[in-house]
Amino acid sequence: MDPTTATTGVVLPRYFFILRIAQLVFAVLVLILCAYAATAVKWSYMSSVYGVNIFTCLLTYFYLAYAIFCVKIIPGLYNMWIEVGISAFTVLMWLSSWASMASHSAALSPISDYDSDYYGASTEFTSWKHGYQAGAVAAACGAFEFILFGLTTAIFFLRVLHYRKENATTPAKATPSSNEMQTGVEANTAYTHSPYPPAGETKHY
């Protein structure tokens, strides 16, 4: 069960924490692959693609730290709606990241078709080829990460809505105060102070 359950009251399935671990693993893989590919492919105008993916990995680490540890270490800074917002933003970033990496890898794919016997002696060609391969694997890992984040975001958002619905407060029925009750009693017995006797009685002078 996710650690946020104990503090926020949002009940999550037991497999949710396993999905969190998978997200962390894929984010680490993408970071390593992109860092390697960025050094292997030396075209400066292509490096921005790797930078976007590296930023998304760092955003993932921040989000997971906030969702798992902040709720226990600094609960005053935790808010379930902030987590929903960051998670949704991370989904969009992973969509953009893996799509751009896939497009970039497709642009570099002709490198794999070059004659290795002719270009094999070129260290630069070998570096480009390894960078292309690393980028292609990073794109595949990014696609899996996008699916995982989409799944966990949907699950957490629905559980938050369920939690809010169960804990919604209903307006309490207004109960008369002691002063109002006393006023009502005095109103009911006001006839005792009237100069006229109640029905059936005769006033003696």
Side-chain angles (χ1 to χ4, degrees):
M1 189 170 293
D2 190 83
T4 59
T5 303
T7 302
T8 64
V10 179
V11 180
L12 298 171
R14 294 184 179 275
Y15 59 81
F16 199 82
F17 190 65
I18 299 177
L19 296 178
R20 293 290 197 210
I21 296 176
Q23 289 172 339
L24 178 61
V25 171
F26 276 110
V28 171
L29 288 176
V30 172
L31 179 63
I32 294 174
L33 291 168
C34 287
Y36 171 78
T39 58
V41 180
K42 304 190 175 6
W43 299 337
S44 60
Y45 63 90
M46 288 291 191
S47 300
S48 60
V49 175
Y50 303 110
V52 171
N53 280 262
I54 291 173
F55 169 78
T56 305
C57 291
L58 298 178
L59 174 64
T60 300
Y61 303 149
F62 168 77
Y63 166 71
L64 293 177
Y66 179 80
I68 297 175
F69 299 110
C70 182
V71 69
K72 284 193 171 184
I73 300 175
I74 317 176
L77 296 179
Y78 179 82
N79 183 282
M80 63 181 67
W81 292 112
I82 292 179
E83 180 177 348
V84 171
I86 299 176
S87 183
F89 178 68
T90 308
V91 172
L92 297 178
M93 287 303 303
W94 275 114
L95 174 61
S96 174
S97 298
W98 84 262
S100 62
M101 181 60 71
S103 176
H104 171 58
S105 298
L108 295 181
S109 61
I111 294 177
S112 61
D113 298 330
Y114 289 167
D115 187 355
S116 58
D117 293 334
Y118 180 79
Y119 290 98
S122 173
T123 304
E124 186 176 12
F125 167 77
T126 303
S127 177
W128 288 352
K129 189 172 183 178
H130 290 168
Y132 153 71
Q133 293 170 346
V137 176
C141 292
F144 280 111
E145 189 76 306
F146 165 70
I147 295 173
L148 286 174
F149 262 96
L151 181 61
T152 56
T153 301
I155 292 174
F156 186 75
F157 178 67
L158 292 176
R159 292 304 177 99
V160 168
L161 292 181
H162 180 70
Y163 169 77
R164 297 285 292 181
K165 183 178 179 180
E166 282 190 341
N167 292 272
T169 57
T170 55
K173 293 182 178 180
T175 56
S177 63
S178 58
N179 291 335
E180 292 175 342
M181 295 177 64
Q182 182 65 25
T183 303
V185 171
E186 292 177 354
N188 292 332
T189 59
Y191 73 91
T192 58
H193 305 288
S194 173
Y196 303 99
E201 295 185 9
T202 303
K203 186 173 181 180
H204 300 282
Y205 295 95

